[in-house]
Amino acid sequence: MKKFIALLMALSMMLLCACGNTPAESKPTAAPTAIPTEATTLPPETTEAPTEEPTEPAVALHSGLREDGSFDEGTLFIGDSMTYGLVYSYLMANDLIGDARYMAIVGAPIQYFFYSSVLNRDKYCIYSPEFEGMSYDQAVASVGEEITAIYFMMGTNYSSDTNAQTYIEIVDYMMEHCPNATIYLQLIPYASSCAVQGDAVYWSIMEAYGHYAMEGIENVKLLDIKRAVGVHLTDDGVHLTYEGQENWYKALVANAEDNNIPQ
């Protein structure tokens, strides 16, 4: 009996010891700390817009001016007595006309472009020999794609039919028949004579030019010859003195140089 009690006590002590040695609930093992490595260098962000390469103009522009100051065979002067004076009294007199073509009828209103009688020696006019017997529109069509620069000035001989639409019809015609040309609409010079309706002509030309500017047509340009020439008039209050014609020519050269327009 005593042995049995002693055995029970021994088992009890063994169980108590076993319970004390039960391992505690294991805690999750923390992930090992990563060894820092050198970060990859990324390009810094920027808000600066990328540099764009300069773009060429949508159309090729031409001045017709050679390095020596004369005009090439792709140049065409169209006008009335004002252009007559520029071509004959200044450009030809100074060997600057070069190989340019020209046509100018003294006293011609702008409507003469389509409805004039032909260029011939019976009229007080000046023209390239190849235009003999032609009207303005016929002469323009005859040279067509050969022309790269047109200097157009009409309006000094104002008529009641002069308006912006007349200029637009003429420029449209020149664009159609001379697709390679840069067309220069030139404001008529100042005149003190009441025979010249300067304000009406000015606004007609400005409105016509605005029409092409709004359409984004780049080969129709406006030249402010009125401001460039200044007040240099002969006694009739209409035509230009030699100095006025010289200022006109210088304005054509300055336009080409200031705007980097090649020959």
Side-chain angles (χ1 to χ4, degrees), residues 7-134:
L7 180 60
L8 288 176
M9 291 178 66
L11 289 173
S12 296
M13 291 295 296
M14 291 176 63
L15 289 173
L16 288 173
C17 290
C19 289
N21 290 331
T22 301
E25 183 179 4
S26 61
K27 296 181 180 179
T29 305
T33 304
I35 300 173
T37 59
E38 184 178 355
T40 304
T41 303
L42 297 176
E45 293 185 1
T46 176
T47 56
E48 184 179 352
T51 303
E52 293 184 1
E53 293 295 328
T55 56
E56 294 294 327
V59 295
L61 302 180
H62 300 279
S63 66
L65 276 159
R66 296 167 169 155
E67 290 185 1
D68 64 0
S70 66
F71 292 91
D72 64 18
E73 67 280 358
T75 307
L76 175 60
F77 290 92
I78 303 175
D80 48 33
S81 60
M82 306 302 290
T83 299
Y84 184 111
L86 176 70
V87 170
Y88 182 76
S89 300
Y90 189 82
L91 297 181
M92 288 184 172
N94 292 284
D95 295 324
L96 294 171
I97 191 64
D99 297 309
R101 279 99 161 210
Y102 48 87
M103 60 183 92
I105 300 175
V106 173
I110 189 172
Q111 288 75 19
Y112 264 40
F113 184 89
F114 290 114
Y115 306 113
S116 71
S117 52
V118 298
L119 294 158
N120 58 47
R121 297 181 183 180
D122 294 336
K123 296 184 181 65
Y124 192 24
C125 60
I126 189 171
Y127 54 89
S128 299
E130 64 191 290
F131 297 151
E132 173 79 30
M134 297 181 184

Side-chain angles (χ1 to χ4, degrees), residues 95-235:
D95 295 324
L96 294 171
I97 191 64
D99 297 309
R101 279 99 161 210
Y102 48 87
M103 60 183 92
I105 300 175
V106 173
I110 189 172
Q111 288 75 19
Y112 264 40
F113 184 89
F114 290 114
Y115 306 113
S116 71
S117 52
V118 298
L119 294 158
N120 58 47
R121 297 181 183 180
D122 294 336
K123 296 184 181 65
Y124 192 24
C125 60
I126 189 171
Y127 54 89
S128 299
E130 64 191 290
F131 297 151
E132 173 79 30
M134 297 181 184
S135 59
Y136 278 9
D137 57 339
Q138 291 171 339
V140 167
S142 73
V143 287
E145 295 183 0
E146 301 173 25
I147 299 302
T148 55
I150 298 176
Y151 292 96
F152 180 80
M153 181 189 285
M154 296 188 79
T156 297
N157 303 289
Y158 179 82
S159 74
S160 58
D161 294 330
T162 300
N163 53 46
Q165 187 58 37
T166 308
Y167 287 95
I168 291 172
E169 290 174 1
I170 292 172
V171 173
D172 283 349
Y173 183 90
M174 292 190 292
M175 289 174 61
E176 177 185 356
H177 290 85
C178 304
N180 301 320
T182 304
I183 300 170
Y184 296 97
L185 281 173
Q186 302 174 97
L187 295 176
I188 65 173
Y190 169 80
S192 61
S193 172
C194 60
V196 179
Q197 304 298 313
D199 288 344
V201 174
Y202 173 86
W203 288 113
S204 292
I205 295 174
M206 292 298 293
E207 184 179 341
Y209 172 69
H211 165 77
Y212 294 103
M214 288 291 291
E215 293 292 324
I217 297 174
E218 299 180 16
N219 62 322
V220 177
K221 302 297 183 183
L222 179 71
L223 295 183
D224 190 351
I225 298 303
K226 180 177 181 179
R227 178 179 299 181
V229 166
V231 183
H232 294 287
L233 301 173
T234 60
D235 292 340

